Amino acid sequence: MAEDRLPLDWNGQTLGSPHRGGTLRLTADGPGGTLDPQINYGTQYMQVFVVMYDPLLVYRQAPGKAGLEVVPDLAEAMPSVSADGLTWHLTLRSGLKFSDGSPVEVEDVVASYQRIFRAGSPTAASFYGNIEGADTCLKTPDRCILPGVKGDPKTREITFHLVHPDGEFTYKLAFPHAAILPRNTPAHDLGMQTAPGTGPYRLTHYDPEHGMVLERNAFFHVWNPQAQTDGFADRIEYNFGLSDEAQVTAVEQGQYDWMLDAKPADRLGEIGSKYTEQVHIEPLLGLYYLAMNNHEPPFTDERVRHAVSLGVNRHAMTILFGGSAISEPLCQMVPHGLPGADLGMTCLQDVARARRLVHDAGADGASVTLIVPNRAIELGMGTYLRNALSQIGLNAQLRPITAGLADSYEQNTANHVQIALSYWFADYPSPSTFLDDLFGCDNYHPNASVSPNFTGFCDQHIQGLMDQAREQVNVAQANPLWEEAGRSIMAKMPGAPMIQMKTVDFVSHRLGNYTSTWLDHMLFSHVWVQ
């Protein structure tokens, strides 16, 4: 609500505010996977982890491009970096405590980075594999020492030693998988258990069948309001089980204050006309794409993958998503708005050519099962895509999967998923979080439920381009490399981009101070309830 916006000089403290208190009520179709903040790679729970955990650095909690700026969080200041780009120094703040009351020490920081490898974080190799000793940790994670991360208990200084310069290391220090946890946190996926954190809220109840409850962390205090505030709501209840249609109705009736899932296209007109002040459309660095498993026939053949891309009308996909106001066709595997992303590529539908490619590949009549989340938006798009696959000569079936489980199901090679309608959001403001995350060799993890590159695509030339781009400190020098990598990936077509979308948040009439960032989406600690 515009009249209730906070002043720009807000110090992050909500004590004394008339808006402090109450329960923020959230709803989603289902749970979002493991509660381990160093392993979960899904937007749903990362949005929760933002108010529970902190890395040394973090993205500023601010709307628009300001929210892409990295600021100090558990570190006192931004890092100092040696001239060769290989040594990074930070100082841990004093007086910090975890939600169980134990102090945050440099030993916890060192142990947290070791745990990234010991617990098998999906970004261990791609984000943190450049730290000295990471190669050994990746080979023998249970014996990971990671000598490239040092902590001095007397000075509270943390030092990182890198093998190669990394122009994106600041972003990686701010990524949620770099959350600082107590040193005694078990070195395995926590599953339905939780670890103490440093954020303004702590998890007090969890039932994956029904929901979770977060309450205030009594040991939290504001150290940098740009990084963390102490939150307005006393309690956050997040309930699971409603379909997307039912979620819309529940928010309309005031039973919930916010819904996670995409709003069904047939309800957009209704909420846009009747509840105008409760609808927020925000830019989003995210996309839908058709992920094709390069290890599963018929998508082992590059011709079939190109045929799929040619067989789809992307304008139809935007209509099915809800129209041009909230989506646009996308012909590259990086959303518009990121540096080094805009390739000027076109992707016109050509069904006749697609049929010839399928025929030339000997794939006429090949059985293909398309996996989609079972929400109304994806079901509509999935039905159209199944028909498009049939039109180009494939024998296509549609298989909906519970939305909260779709990611882990698709990514596990044991399930032999052939093709899936998937979505991906930026980890940080770089093309690498799409090109490398989704198609980098280090992000393919066979027989694991967290494998961002579930297509299994790995091209050493393209990987070399991406590695070179990351080592460039100057963005202007990195961009041409990212562009070349992006074009090369489109030439191989392991995944076919479909649309870029915007966030459509629908909130209750009692929710105020709506605040959303491009990376973290609606901030649960910034909104209040009347």
Side-chain angles (χ1 to χ4, degrees):
M1 300 177 185
E3 66 274 18
D4 288 333
R5 294 297 300 174
L6 291 167
L8 293 176
D9 60 353
W10 181 42
N11 65 7
Q13 298 281 357
T14 60
L15 288 171
S17 168
H19 300 293
R20 183 181 171 98
T23 298
L24 176 65
R25 300 172 303 205
L26 316 173
T27 181
D29 172 75
T34 176
L35 292 178
D36 196 315
Q38 292 190 319
I39 293 179
N40 193 304
Y41 212 166
T43 300
Q44 180 177 353
Y45 280 2
M46 280 193 173
Q47 197 170 9
V48 174
F49 295 156
V50 165
V51 298
M52 292 178 61
Y53 299 102
D54 295 275
L56 293 168
L57 310 176
V58 76
Y59 292 94
R60 186 180 177 195
Q61 293 192 345
K65 290 186 177 179
L68 302 180
E69 175 190 355
V70 176
V71 298
D73 193 351
L74 297 187
E76 289 183 350
M78 294 298 290
S80 62
V81 186
S82 62
D84 61 6
L86 298 180
T87 304
W88 295 55
H89 297 283
L90 302 99
T91 301
L92 181 67
R93 295 182 190 273
S94 59
L96 299 170
K97 291 185 177 181
F98 290 109
S99 56
D100 62 358
S102 60
V104 181
E105 305 289 356
V106 294
E107 293 88 348
D108 300 303
V109 176
V110 173
S112 293
Y113 277 87
Q114 292 171 343
R115 187 180 182 276
I116 288 174
F117 295 89
R118 292 182 175 181
S121 173
T123 55
S126 55
F127 283 16
Y128 310 104
N130 191 28
I131 299 173
E132 279 189 10
D135 53 348
T136 302
C137 289
L138 290 167
K139 293 175 184 175
T140 55
D142 57 327
R143 297 198 295 273
C144 177
I145 302 299
L146 201 62
V149 182
K150 301 286 187 184
D152 186 333
K154 293 182 180 179
T155 63
R156 302 183 71 78
E157 184 175 78
I158 311 296
T159 304
F160 293 88
H161 296 287
L162 306 184
V163 178
H164 305 287
D166 185 349
E168 299 184 352
F169 195 59
T170 300
Y171 296 152
K172 296 166 184 176
L173 290 173
F175 189 66
H177 286 170
I180 305 306
L181 308 176
R183 72 197 78 167
N184 61 354
T185 304
H188 57 73
D189 188 340
L190 296 176
M192 292 190 294
Q193 304 300 314
T194 188
T198 50
Y201 294 93
R202 62 188 181 93
L203 188 70
T204 58
H205 174 75
Y206 183 64
D207 178 352
E209 295 292 325
H210 300 99
M212 62 172 63
V213 175
L214 281 75
E215 298 182 77
R216 290 191 181 277
N217 170 11
F219 297 97
F220 175 81
H221 66 274
V222 177
W223 52 80
N224 179 5
Q226 294 182 337
Q228 281 284 24
T229 68
D230 66 353
F232 285 96
D234 287 336
R235 181 181 172 96
I236 301 173
E237 294 181 358
Y238 202 153
N239 293 328
F240 310 141
L242 292 183
S243 68
D244 45 9
E245 291 277 0
Q247 289 176 46
V248 171
T249 301
V251 174
E252 287 178 344
Q253 296 174 350
Q255 298 171 10
Y256 290 101
D257 301 306
W258 174 86
M259 58 175 288
L260 168 76
D261 296 295
K263 288 66 196 169
D266 63 349
R267 305 294 293 274
L268 289 175
E270 171 190 340
I271 65 175
S273 59
K274 294 184 179 180
Y275 305 93
T276 306
E277 294 185 358
Q278 295 169 226
V279 178
H280 302 270
I281 300 177
E282 300 289 329
L284 181 64
L285 299 176
L287 56 80
Y288 275 94
Y289 72 109
L290 279 173
M292 292 172 276
N293 192 333
N294 292 196
H295 298 274
E296 295 286 339
F299 302 110
T300 51
D301 195 307
E302 186 179 308
R303 291 170 293 185
V304 178
R305 304 197 297 267
H306 277 282
V308 168
S309 182
L310 287 167
V312 177
N313 185 321
R314 286 163 175 80
H315 288 285
M317 292 289 287
T318 65
I319 294 170
L320 290 164
F321 187 75
S324 58
I326 60 174
S327 63
E328 62 178 302
L330 190 65
C331 301
Q332 57 192 33
M333 278 305 306
V334 181
H336 301 294
L338 287 177
D342 292 326
L343 304 178
M345 303 185 76
T346 58
C347 45
L348 297 177
Q349 185 183 30
D350 190 337
V351 175
R353 185 181 169 204
R355 285 174 177 162
R356 288 196 299 270
L357 287 171
V358 169
H359 178 75
D360 291 346
D364 288 315
S367 293
V368 169
T369 300
L370 171 66
I371 303 296
V372 300
N374 67 347
R375 296 170 294 211
I377 286 284
E378 286 95 345
L379 285 172
M381 291 192 291
T383 299
Y384 165 75
L385 291 169
R386 179 197 60 197
N387 295 339
L389 293 174
S390 297
Q391 279 190 321
I392 64 173
L394 300 173
N395 178 15
Q397 297 86 37
L398 183 66
R399 183 179 179 189
I401 297 286
T402 301
L405 302 177
D407 283 351
S408 58
Y409 182 85
E410 294 166 6
Q411 294 181 22
N412 193 328
T413 57
N415 295 321
H416 299 283
V417 172
Q418 296 167 289
I419 183 171
L421 177 62
S422 300
Y423 49 86
W424 195 256
F425 305 107
D427 294 332
Y428 51 77
S430 167
S432 67
T433 68
F434 291 88
L435 301 181
D436 195 30
D437 281 12
L438 298 179
F439 308 113
C441 301
D442 287 338
N443 285 314
Y444 177 53
H445 309 295
N447 300 312
S449 60
V450 183
S451 180
N453 176 10
F454 102 80
T455 67
F457 178 80
C458 178
D459 183 288
Q460 293 302 329
H461 171 68
I462 295 174
Q463 187 65 56
L465 290 170
M466 296 191 291
D467 292 343
Q468 290 178 54
R470 277 198 304 267
E471 291 181 15
Q472 305 302 315
V473 177
N474 188 327
V475 172
Q477 294 175 332
N479 285 349
L481 293 165
W482 287 123
E483 290 173 5
E484 185 178 352
R487 290 183 185 279
S488 298
I489 286 172
M490 289 300 294
K492 298 285 187 179
M493 199 63 70
M498 292 286 113
I499 60 172
Q500 179 172 345
M501 60 282 202
K502 295 181 180 179
T503 295
V504 181
D505 267 341
F506 181 39
V507 301
S508 73
H509 62 87
R510 72 187 196 121
L511 185 143
N513 198 51
Y514 174 86
T515 306
S516 178
T517 76
W518 286 9
L519 294 176
D520 295 327
H521 315 297
M522 191 181 87
L523 297 175
F524 299 154
S525 59
H526 280 236
V527 299
W528 60 57
V529 288
Q530 304 295 336

